[in-house]
Amino acid sequence: MSEVRIAAEPRTTFGKGAARKIRRADKVPAVLYGHGIEPKHLTLPGHEVLLALRTANVLIHLKGEGVDELALPKGVQRDPIKGFVEHVDLLLVKRGEKVTVEIPVTTVGDVHSDGLLDQQLVAVGIEAEATHIPTGIEIDVEGLEVGTAITAGQLKLPQGATLTADPETVVLHVIGKPVEAAAEGEEAAEAAEGEAAAEAPAAE
């Protein structure tokens, strides 16, 4: 995983009024904590933070007056309407250190035509080195038949990662298509054929 470098400024004013003033300047209040240090209150550039947070578990290199650290986002507050970042909690990490995070689970391919894919988990917990967190896990579901289930313990984890989730947890399974829906589809098709035949001009 690549590092995203973000300039950090020390923050000395607090409270709702101070936070609003920071946001009006297109900046984001943040707190850096971990490893037993006193929490550091920082101000970060809003646009850079927004771009960085598009990547799950992004590793951020904070660089500025009094700070030169690596951190992972652990709590992000966003405006519920406009979506901009209002505040970020950052966890201090060290190179070589193991951290526990959740990474996204995605699928590729299509299950057998008789079935429907029912994905129970969209993310799974793993432990990995802070500077080598995988971006996600991809599962190939091409041709999986009805009744097939994949558990967390069956996932092919990226090198260096270990599972922290319960290995028996079902990540996804393939279920049969609803019988009623299939029957309704057949009836609708038959009705459409009947109407088309009725509307067709009689042969002379």
Side-chain angles (χ1 to χ4, degrees):
M1 173 181 287
S2 60
E3 299 174 11
V4 176
R5 184 164 175 163
I6 293 182
E9 304 171 19
R11 179 161 55 98
T12 56
T13 56
F14 308 96
K16 292 183 178 179
R20 281 195 295 267
K21 185 176 181 180
I22 291 172
R23 296 184 192 112
R24 281 197 297 268
D26 193 26
K27 296 182 180 180
V28 177
V31 175
L32 175 67
Y33 64 93
H35 284 272
I37 68 167
E38 283 290 324
K40 293 184 178 182
H41 298 271
L42 307 170
T43 299
L44 310 178
H47 184 64
E48 283 83 347
V49 169
L50 188 63
L51 291 177
L53 292 178
R54 291 180 179 177
T55 301
N57 301 309
V58 61
L59 184 65
I60 298 175
H61 183 180
L62 299 166
K63 182 74 172 177
E65 182 184 340
V67 59
D68 185 3
E69 306 285 2
L70 295 176
L72 289 172
K74 297 302 289 184
V76 180
Q77 297 176 21
R78 296 179 183 270
D79 181 272
I81 299 175
K82 297 182 179 180
F84 60 79
V85 179
E86 294 187 324
H87 189 276
V88 182
D89 288 339
L90 297 165
L91 177 65
L92 176 66
V93 296
K94 301 294 184 182
R95 296 188 188 279
E97 174 186 7
K98 293 276 190 174
V99 294
T100 299
V101 296
E102 286 198 342
I103 59 174
V105 176
T106 57
T107 62
V108 293
D110 298 308
V111 300
H112 192 278
S113 58
D114 292 337
L116 293 174
L117 180 64
D118 181 18
Q119 186 168 345
Q120 301 288 312
L121 291 182
V122 296
V124 66
I126 65 162
E127 185 182 64
E129 188 180 335
T131 54
H132 292 88
I133 298 174
T135 55
I137 298 174
E138 194 173 76
I139 305 175
D140 185 358
V141 300
E142 184 65 35
L144 292 186
E145 297 185 351
V146 174
T148 303
I150 295 178
T151 64
Q154 294 174 303
L155 295 176
K156 185 177 180 181
L157 298 179
Q159 185 176 2
T162 55
L163 186 70
T164 59
D166 183 348
E168 300 300 319
T169 301
V170 175
V171 177
L172 59 84
H173 63 148
V174 183
I175 60 176
K177 290 182 177 179
V179 176
E180 290 184 4
E184 289 174 1
E186 291 176 1
E187 290 175 1
E190 290 174 359
E193 289 177 2
E195 291 176 2
E199 294 175 359
E204 293 182 357

